[in-house]
């Protein structure tokens, strides 16, 4: 049976596998997805996971549950050799091994772009995976709990200071949602005043949200500043050691939570550990029909799409490439499945062509921005459009139903503000057995008195 191997279970990989399951005849080919994570992350929901508006598990789509005829291999691909049609797979445990393929689909996605900034690796969170979004939310909730019991001073102020680096969609949406959560928390923490919150958004360019035009981008900045945020444009993060933030503008402050959302970089496996053709940015060179190669020369039986591929944007100016977002990755994955099946059966493939439907972003509960060409919608209607679009776009009716149920519950009863930061160290309670350290009183510790 022909082996079709998909590297990466993100948007493009998931939709490619799903489309192949629908189109392949039984016995025609076997589909395998290789990914370290057993789920596809619906990244547009991560800002709402940060704010507690979407449950973390609802932003993750199980590969094994929804790809029922696809073999799922839990492991990371470390090398790709198209010359001998093999991959090297590194499982979570055990030695590396070789995996052969007849048709290869590379949808490994991008990684977070970082710079050698002192303290960044030790202090910052990313915002690309569900685990990171949950940790950011728990850190804010825990900081509120701690700050409420402290006197006014530097330590309390540090706990109530949040810094986001990166003014793209991921950074702005996460920042806006976390700011909305912090503002809502003040009702439950009378010990903390609004003036004590200190939220900073740092962007190296002279504007945020480059996908929208200048005027809507400037409106977003004004909207965030009216809500008490500090937006630092033309500014870079210089250092973050021990939570002490130093900006290129000369401003310095202590921050208890630092989130790095300063864009994507090419996948190291694609950039340095493959013999596939890549461009100057480290992305795989593909033709308009998503085959790997150029118009003059094609790599046999290898396809690519998503954030790790330089896909020609036929709807834009000549030489343009599609931007790395979910809108393109989902549609490229669907076309990949059709083209692979067409190629197997000796039919013609189709080129990828997609005209943008516009861009929409959430800025916090009840706030948003939408733009389609010259049409700009702001505020509550744009926020409704954001939720409506993404609940339709998230894969499977099961996930749509769960997300809608959480939104309905939140509308009736408000946000859930319980921090589960302790799940990151689940054995601590068992190991300590409730025994407090010297001078510490532990809630729930067993009584030493006689039992009835």
């Amino acid at each position: 049976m022909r082996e079709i191997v998909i590297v990466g279970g993100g948007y493009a990989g998931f939709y490619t596998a799903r489309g192949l399951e629908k189109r392949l005849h039984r016995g025609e080919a076997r589909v395998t997805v290789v990914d370290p994570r057993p789920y596809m992350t619906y990244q547009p929901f991560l800002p709402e996971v940060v704010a507690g508006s979407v449950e973390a598990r609802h932003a993750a789509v199980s590969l094994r549950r929804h790809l029922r005829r696809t073999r799922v291999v839990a492991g990371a691909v470390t090398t790709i050799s198209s010359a001998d049609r093999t991959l090297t797979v590194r499982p979570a445990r055990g030695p590396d091994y070789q995996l052969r393929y007849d048709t290869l689909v590379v949808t490994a996605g991008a990684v977070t772009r970082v710079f050698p900034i002192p303290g960044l690796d030790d202090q910052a969170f990313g915002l690309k995976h569900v685990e990171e979004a949950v940790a950011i939310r728990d850190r804010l909730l825990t900081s509120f709990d701690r700050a409420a019991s402290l006197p006014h001073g530097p330590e309390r102020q540090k706990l109530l200071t949040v810094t986001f680096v990166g003014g793209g969609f991921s950074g702005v949406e996460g920042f806006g949602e976390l700011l909305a959560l912090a503002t809502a928390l003040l009702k439950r923490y009378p010990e903390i005043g609004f003036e004590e919150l200190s939220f900073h958004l740092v962007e190296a360019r002279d504007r945020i949200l480059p996908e929208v035009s200048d005027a809507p981008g400037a409106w977003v900045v004004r909207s965030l500043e009216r809500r008490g945020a500090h937006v630092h444009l033309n500014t870079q993060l210089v250092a973050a050691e021990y939570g002490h933030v130093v900006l290129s503008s000369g401003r310095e402050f202590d921050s208890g939570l630092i989130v790095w959302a300063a864009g994507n970089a090419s996948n190291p496996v694609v950039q340095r550990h493959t013999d596939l053709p890549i461009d100057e940015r480290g992305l795989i060179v593909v033709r308009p029909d998503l085959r790997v190669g150029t118009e003059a020369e094609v790599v046999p039986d290898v396809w690519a799409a998503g954030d790790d591929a330089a896909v020609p944007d036929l709807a834009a100016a000549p030489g343009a490439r599609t931007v790395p977002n979910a809108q393109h990755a989902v549609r490229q994955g669907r076309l990949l499945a059709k083209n692979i099946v067409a190629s197997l059966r000796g039919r013609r493939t189709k080129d990828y062509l997609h005209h943008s439907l516009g861009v929409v972003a959430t800025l916090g509960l009840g706030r948003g921005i939408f733009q389609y060409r010259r049409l700009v919608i702001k505020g509550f209607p744009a926020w409704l459009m954001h939720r409506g679009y993404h609940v339709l776009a998230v894969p499977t009716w099961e996930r749509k139903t769960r997300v809608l149920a959480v939104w309905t519950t939140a509308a009736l009863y408000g946000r859930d503000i319980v921090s589960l930061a302790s799940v990151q160290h689940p054995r601590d309670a068992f190991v300590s057995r409730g025994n407090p350290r010297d001078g510490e009183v532990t809630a729930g510790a067993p009584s030493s008195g006689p039992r009835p």
Side-chain angles (χ1 to χ4, degrees):
M1 190 183 299
R2 189 174 185 85
E3 295 285 349
I4 302 175
V5 178
I6 301 173
V7 179
Y11 295 119
F14 177 85
Y15 278 96
T16 300
R18 201 175 182 206
L20 289 172
E21 285 191 347
K22 295 178 180 178
R23 289 171 174 81
L24 288 172
H25 301 316
R26 187 171 298 276
E28 187 174 9
R30 181 169 70 165
V31 181
T32 300
V33 173
V34 184
D35 195 287
R37 290 178 168 83
Y39 55 83
M40 184 270 280
T41 301
Y42 191 72
Q43 291 182 342
F45 274 158
L46 293 187
E48 296 213 46
V49 173
V50 166
S53 300
V54 170
E55 287 293 330
R57 285 176 295 180
H58 299 168
V61 179
S62 170
L63 299 180
R64 293 183 181 275
R65 177 169 183 173
H66 298 289
L67 299 177
R68 298 181 181 178
R69 292 167 51 198
T70 298
R71 180 175 63 148
V72 177
V73 174
V77 173
T78 58
T79 60
I80 299 173
S81 175
S82 64
D84 56 7
R85 297 183 179 237
T86 61
L87 310 172
T88 302
V89 179
R90 178 167 297 165
R93 291 188 178 181
D96 296 359
Y97 61 91
Q98 302 291 314
L99 188 65
R100 288 193 56 81
Y101 68 83
D102 297 302
T103 298
L104 176 66
V105 180
V106 184
T107 55
V111 298
T112 302
R113 180 183 60 183
V114 295
F115 301 100
I117 298 173
L120 184 65
D121 287 343
D122 297 329
Q123 299 293 323
F125 292 91
L127 188 50
K128 202 171 185 64
H129 301 289
V130 171
E131 302 92 335
E132 295 170 321
V134 172
I136 291 168
R137 177 175 180 268
D138 286 343
R139 172 65 68 88
L140 181 75
L141 294 173
T142 302
S143 294
F144 264 71
D145 285 330
R146 293 174 178 173
S149 62
L150 291 174
H152 292 275
E155 187 176 356
R156 176 178 170 125
Q157 185 57 61
K158 180 178 180 179
L159 289 169
L160 299 175
T161 300
V162 175
T163 304
F164 270 67
V165 183
F169 264 84
S170 178
V172 171
E173 289 189 314
F175 183 80
E177 287 287 354
L178 199 65
L179 177 59
L181 172 61
T183 305
L185 285 175
L186 295 175
K187 298 178 182 179
R188 307 298 180 186
Y189 290 85
E191 306 91 340
I192 300 175
F194 174 78
E195 68 284 352
E196 294 185 79
L197 298 182
S198 185
F199 273 66
H200 300 264
L201 177 62
V202 181
E203 170 54 46
R205 291 167 292 190
D206 60 354
R207 51 165 300 176
I208 62 175
L209 296 179
E211 292 85 353
V212 304
S213 55
D214 291 346
W219 176 84
V220 173
V221 172
R222 293 194 301 271
S223 174
L224 293 173
E225 290 178 338
R226 284 195 298 267
R227 293 161 59 188
H230 307 277
V231 181
H232 307 269
L233 300 178
N234 294 309
T235 306
Q236 296 178 332
L237 178 67
V238 175
E241 293 179 289
Y242 304 105
H244 184 71
V245 172
V246 180
L247 302 180
S248 59
S249 61
R251 183 162 182 180
E252 300 183 24
F253 51 87
D254 290 333
S255 182
L257 174 57
I258 301 172
V259 180
W260 181 268
N264 296 327
S266 59
N267 194 298
V269 174
V270 170
Q271 187 175 19
R272 297 190 292 270
H273 302 286
T274 177
D275 56 358
L276 298 176
I278 60 174
D279 66 6
E280 67 282 355
R281 297 174 297 168
L283 303 178
I284 300 176
V285 178
V286 300
R287 293 152 50 115
D289 65 354
L290 306 179
R291 295 178 189 263
V292 173
T294 63
E295 291 297 332
E297 185 177 3
V298 66
V299 180
D301 298 315
V302 182
W303 310 72
D307 293 356
D308 63 1
V311 179
D313 191 348
L314 302 183
R321 298 290 182 263
T322 57
V323 296
N325 62 22
Q327 191 175 136
H328 283 298
V330 169
R331 288 165 175 80
Q332 289 168 11
R334 289 171 175 162
L335 179 64
L336 258 179
K338 295 177 183 178
N339 280 351
I340 291 171
V341 172
S343 177
L344 292 178
R345 297 173 183 170
R347 301 173 184 170
R348 294 185 61 182
T349 59
K350 295 182 179 180
D351 291 345
Y352 177 72
L353 174 63
H354 173 64
H355 295 277
S356 174
L357 303 176
V359 292
V360 62
T362 175
L363 304 174
L365 191 63
R367 302 175 177 89
I369 180 78
F370 168 83
Q371 182 175 14
Y372 175 70
R373 298 181 180 177
R374 295 185 179 181
L375 173 64
V376 178
I377 301 176
K378 307 171 184 175
F380 186 74
W383 177 77
L384 285 178
M385 294 172 67
H386 177 273
R387 283 203 162 182
Y389 172 79
H390 285 299
V391 78
L392 291 175
V394 68
T396 78
W397 282 103
E398 175 255 348
R399 276 295 180 262
K400 300 180 199 294
T401 303
R402 291 182 187 275
V403 170
L404 284 172
V406 172
W407 283 345
T408 302
T409 304
L412 294 174
Y413 301 106
R415 301 172 186 263
D416 192 333
I417 60 171
V418 175
S419 170
L420 295 178
S422 58
V423 301
Q424 299 175 34
H425 307 282
R427 296 188 66 252
D428 284 357
F430 173 74
V431 172
S432 68
R433 308 290 204 281
N435 294 322
R437 295 188 298 268
D438 292 341
E440 182 182 85
V441 177
T442 303
S447 171
S448 60
R451 298 184 180 181

